[in-house]
Amino acid sequence: MAALLRKCFNIFPGEEKSAALFALLAFLWSVAVTSGLKFADALFLIHIGSQDLPYAYSLSAASMILIASLLIYGFHHFQAHKIFITALLFGVAFYFSAFLAFHYSVGLDSDWIWYALRVFGSINFAVIVTCFWTFLDQYFHLQDAKRLFSLFSSMVFLGIATTGFIMLMGLIEFKTLALMIAITLSAVILLILKIHGALNPVYDDSAYDIDTVSYEES
């Protein structure tokens, strides 16, 4: 089975550990983040209605303008894994707060909680996707990335598909799901710390290419 997977995803000998760690990372954050977003979509439609979706979209887009600026600044001044962990901590705090709100029935009779779930779910998905691929880029040369990124993308899609199965089964109420999301995102943080401690980043291919071109021209 392992040999079949290596052949299917073109994993070279010695890459199994790193590929497995990043594949697990991709699956865990994907199933957690997309579960938060898709369940928020469903709850918004049930409690608010589709006529107010443009307001939620506008709030999400306006918020992302500011957040995108912060990410651009952050990636130029801080390590990618720290930004990734910070984004995940916001997710843990939000979904644990949502669990408490549902557990104690706080704000469930008003509209703000459904807007908060929908807007945060959309923003969280965009931010985590950006942080994941930026974090991943540090550990693979361009040629290796061409081979292995199909595996990591597949694990992201598997996480999205798993969210669909969870919704289809209808066995988990959102209060429990919110707690599960917070726990899963906490596990993702621990996995990032493990990867950061166990694997060494590679040098910047783009910087090497620029230096090479400059040398040849001179």
Side-chain angles (χ1 to χ4, degrees):
M1 186 63 179
L4 178 61
L5 289 175
R6 285 197 299 268
K7 185 177 181 180
C8 179
F9 291 104
N10 201 17
I11 301 173
F12 290 174
E15 292 180 333
E16 296 87 352
K17 177 182 177 181
S18 60
L21 287 173
F22 283 109
L24 178 61
L25 180 69
F27 174 77
L28 289 178
W29 75 253
S30 177
V31 71
V33 171
T34 55
S35 292
L37 175 58
K38 297 307 178 184
F39 272 82
D41 278 335
L43 291 171
F44 190 92
L45 292 174
I46 292 171
H47 294 278
I48 303 296
S50 60
Q51 73 280 356
D52 282 358
L53 276 176
Y55 297 113
Y57 294 150
S58 298
L59 285 172
S60 300
S63 300
M64 278 306 303
I65 293 173
L66 174 61
I67 294 172
S69 301
L70 293 175
L71 285 175
I72 292 171
Y73 175 85
F75 284 128
H76 282 86
H77 293 84
F78 303 100
Q79 293 178 300
H81 79 282
K82 292 182 179 180
I83 299 175
F84 197 1
I85 289 173
T86 300
L88 290 165
L89 285 173
F90 275 106
V92 172
F94 179 85
Y95 285 108
F96 186 72
S97 298
F99 163 74
L100 294 177
F102 275 79
H103 183 73
Y104 293 106
S105 299
V106 177
L108 300 186
D109 56 347
S110 63
D111 292 346
W112 68 265
I113 191 167
W114 315 116
Y115 271 97
L117 288 170
R118 178 60 184 78
V119 172
F120 183 85
S122 179
I123 294 172
N124 193 43
F125 180 82
V127 170
I128 297 302
V129 167
T130 302
C131 290
F132 170 71
W133 290 110
T134 303
F135 175 69
L136 195 68
D137 185 61
Q138 298 179 105
Y139 292 91
F140 297 96
H141 295 293
L142 180 60
Q143 295 303 318
D144 296 329
K146 290 178 180 178
R147 291 186 298 102
L148 295 174
F149 276 23
S150 61
L151 167 62
F152 307 139
S153 296
S154 297
M155 296 305 293
V156 172
F157 297 143
L158 180 61
I160 296 173
T162 302
T163 295
F165 283 118
I166 293 172
M167 297 185 73
L168 184 63
M169 290 187 296
L171 300 177
I172 303 176
E173 59 180 0
F174 186 77
K175 179 182 75 173
T176 303
L177 181 70
L179 182 59
M180 293 173 62
I181 292 172
I183 293 172
T184 303
L185 293 178
S186 299
V188 172
I189 292 174
L190 295 177
L191 186 55
I192 291 171
L193 292 173
K194 177 179 176 60
I195 291 172
H196 180 70
L199 303 178
N200 295 320
V202 300
Y203 64 82
D204 189 347
D205 283 343
S206 60
Y208 174 78
D209 291 339
I210 291 173
D211 290 343
T212 302
V213 171
S214 299
Y215 175 78
E216 291 176 348
E217 290 178 349
S218 62

